[in-house]
Amino acid sequence: MTIVVKKQLGELVADFPEPVSVSADDVVAARARENDTVVYVVLDDDPTGTQSVADLPVLMTWEKDDFLWAFETGKPAVYVMINSRSLAPADAERVNREAVTAALAAAKQAGIEVAFVSRSDSTLRGHFPLEPNTIGDEIQKATGKPVDGIVIVPAFGDAGRITVGGMHYAGSESDGFIPVGESEFAKDATFGYESSYIPDWVEEKTHGDIPAKDVLVLDLDILRGDRQAAVELLGSAKSSTPITVDIVSEEDLRLLAMALIEAEKAGSTFIYRVGPPFVRARIGQAVHAPLTVDEINDSRGDRDIAAGGLVVVGSHVGLTTRQLNELRERRAPYELELDVARLIDSERGSGLHRRYCQRCCGGAELRQCRYPHLPQACHRNGC
């Protein structure tokens, strides 16, 4: 039997400097001082990436015209729902290439500078190093030179994922933290891993192509205690060197943003492989309170409120099962389990689609779906 020992936050950070107070306004002011007008194109591998930001454009398709529209809003970042974590590696590579190519073309036409964020999981699941490598390849094709560093920041303090001394942890302040490699997330059937120390994780995921000793570690000592040393460490990265950063709090993310502003002003270029809150801190956006019912209703404008809702459950860890069980107890939802392997089989899938539709819609009219790449589906009221 494996015994997992949890550590309290105070124990993890005892040997590091105290947090430094930095506001979102401080980041905005620093960007203005350095004339930092970069727009961050966030390639989101899962629909949950926007949970930590507000008032930013979100694209569900990624043609050049889509990006031109997003850039015209004048916002400092744009999210692109490529949802690549659900795809096979070849398809994940394809959608990343498509999005980067279109974004670069639109940025050139709009006369703006862009940088790319590969938003992924705070528990280290996803297509790494495939996605940042693909983004870097497309950037090099367009500019003729590689990016200097891949900044790895999976921390998501709101959800209890922190990085200290290069070690990534999952847990909570109330219950304690364990190395993420010992958590249920590390046992993911598709993206499982063993290492919790991020340099070792990079070596593991690159199958030794990038040894742990080549990964730069920007720890809390430097991040909180010496801005110039942090800028110099970031600036030392060349040829897509991985850089992992210790993050415990929102202020740590803002400190990182301040150092990145200076490093990029000095000429360094980066791709960011990050968890949800990084973009918020990087653009100087304050933490937004959870949406209220009134805000949600206001966002609908004059549109009618549709009855019901759809919850799609596709994760394979115990946390998701616990959340689903909570939903069952509270709402007793109608459930339909999809046999994905059969659904995507061209010979067996069509009849199965029809049966699913009949169960969902209670015998509603069946007709050919307006989306030609999908099998037959049912629609109500012409939707």
Side-chain angles (χ1 to χ4, degrees):
M1 181 177 67
T2 302
I3 299 176
V4 178
V5 179
K6 293 184 178 181
K7 293 186 176 182
Q8 296 302 308
L9 180 60
E11 181 182 358
L12 293 175
V13 301
D15 295 330
F16 294 100
E18 290 294 314
V20 178
S21 179
V22 185
S23 70
D25 288 341
D26 292 334
V27 177
V28 172
R31 292 197 73 188
R33 283 196 305 271
E34 299 296 347
N35 194 29
D36 178 5
T37 58
V38 171
V39 175
Y40 291 88
V41 177
V42 186
L43 305 184
D44 203 342
D45 75 345
D46 181 89
T48 60
T50 56
Q51 64 186 299
S52 295
V53 295
D55 194 29
L56 295 175
V58 179
L59 299 180
M60 305 300 290
T61 57
W62 43 89
E63 300 293 336
K64 177 182 173 182
D65 286 345
D66 298 320
F67 284 104
L68 287 172
W69 168 84
F71 296 155
E72 285 173 0
T73 67
K75 301 295 184 180
V78 52
Y79 276 72
V80 190
M81 298 291 102
I82 60 172
N83 293 335
S84 51
R85 204 185 308 171
S86 66
L87 302 178
D91 290 324
E93 178 180 347
R94 173 181 54 79
V95 296
N96 274 270
R97 289 194 189 280
E98 290 173 353
V100 174
T101 301
L104 289 172
K108 183 177 181 180
Q109 181 173 325
I112 65 171
E113 183 181 355
V114 296
F116 289 90
V117 177
S118 178
R119 205 294 298 184
S120 192
D121 181 45
S122 61
T123 60
L124 302 179
R125 296 171 297 168
H127 292 288
F128 181 91
L130 173 67
E131 291 185 305
N133 285 351
T134 300
I135 295 168
D137 185 47
E138 290 301 315
I139 293 174
Q140 185 166 359
K141 287 179 183 178
T143 65
K145 61 179 182 179
V147 296
D148 293 311
I150 297 176
V151 181
I152 303 171
V153 189
F156 186 11
D158 299 332
R161 287 79 189 252
I162 61 175
T163 309
V164 181
M167 184 78 73
H168 198 51
Y169 294 91
S172 67
E173 288 194 50
S174 60
D175 197 36
F177 295 85
I178 61 172
V180 72
E182 299 175 17
S183 72
E184 60 186 320
F185 305 106
K187 300 175 178 62
D188 187 277
T190 304
F191 299 112
Y193 55 90
E194 296 181 357
S195 305
S196 302
Y197 184 58
I198 293 182
D200 289 342
W201 175 81
V202 170
E203 180 171 332
E204 178 183 346
K205 286 298 181 178
T206 62
H207 305 288
D209 289 344
I210 302 177
K213 65 180 180 62
D214 290 348
V215 178
L216 300 178
V217 178
L218 177 48
D219 66 19
L220 289 176
D221 270 330
I222 300 173
L223 184 67
R224 293 178 175 178
D226 192 336
R227 170 75 58 76
Q228 187 55 40
V231 174
E232 289 175 0
L233 185 147
L234 291 167
S236 71
K238 302 297 177 187
S239 301
S240 301
T241 300
I243 310 162
T244 180
V245 186
D246 280 8
I247 299 292
V248 173
S249 66
E250 188 77 13
E251 286 76 15
D252 293 331
L253 284 168
R254 291 170 182 160
L255 282 173
L256 173 59
M258 303 285 272
L260 286 167
I261 290 168
E262 293 188 35
E264 290 179 336
K265 180 67 174 180
S268 292
T269 56
F270 304 104
I271 293 169
Y272 302 99
R273 179 71 171 186
V274 300
F278 171 85
V279 174
R280 176 176 66 198
R282 182 64 185 85
I283 64 176
Q285 186 175 95
V287 178
H288 194 290
L291 292 175
T292 65
V293 173
D294 288 341
E295 286 176 313
I296 294 171
N297 288 336
D298 289 344
S299 72
R300 292 191 172 102
D302 296 329
R303 291 171 293 178
D304 292 334
I305 298 176
L310 175 67
V311 178
V312 180
V313 181
S315 186
H316 304 285
V317 295
L319 175 61
T320 304
T321 301
R322 294 192 294 275
Q323 291 171 328
L324 177 59
N325 288 337
E326 183 73 17
L327 175 64
R328 286 166 170 159
E329 288 187 14
R330 291 188 182 192
R331 307 292 294 185
Y334 176 79
E335 296 183 38
L336 181 64
E337 184 172 346
L338 305 182
D339 186 334
V340 177
R342 292 179 63 193
L343 276 172
I344 62 177
D345 186 309
S346 59
E347 294 183 359
R348 298 184 298 166
S350 118
L352 195 58
H353 266 274
R354 180 173 291 272
R355 289 196 294 276
Y356 283 145
C357 290
Q358 289 172 332
R359 288 178 62 188
C360 284
C361 299
E365 178 188 359
L366 293 172
R367 60 177 178 268
Q368 183 63 35
C369 179
R370 66 186 179 185
Y371 300 104
H373 62 286
L374 295 176
Q376 276 198 332
C378 64
H379 302 275
R380 285 180 187 251
N381 303 319
C383 68

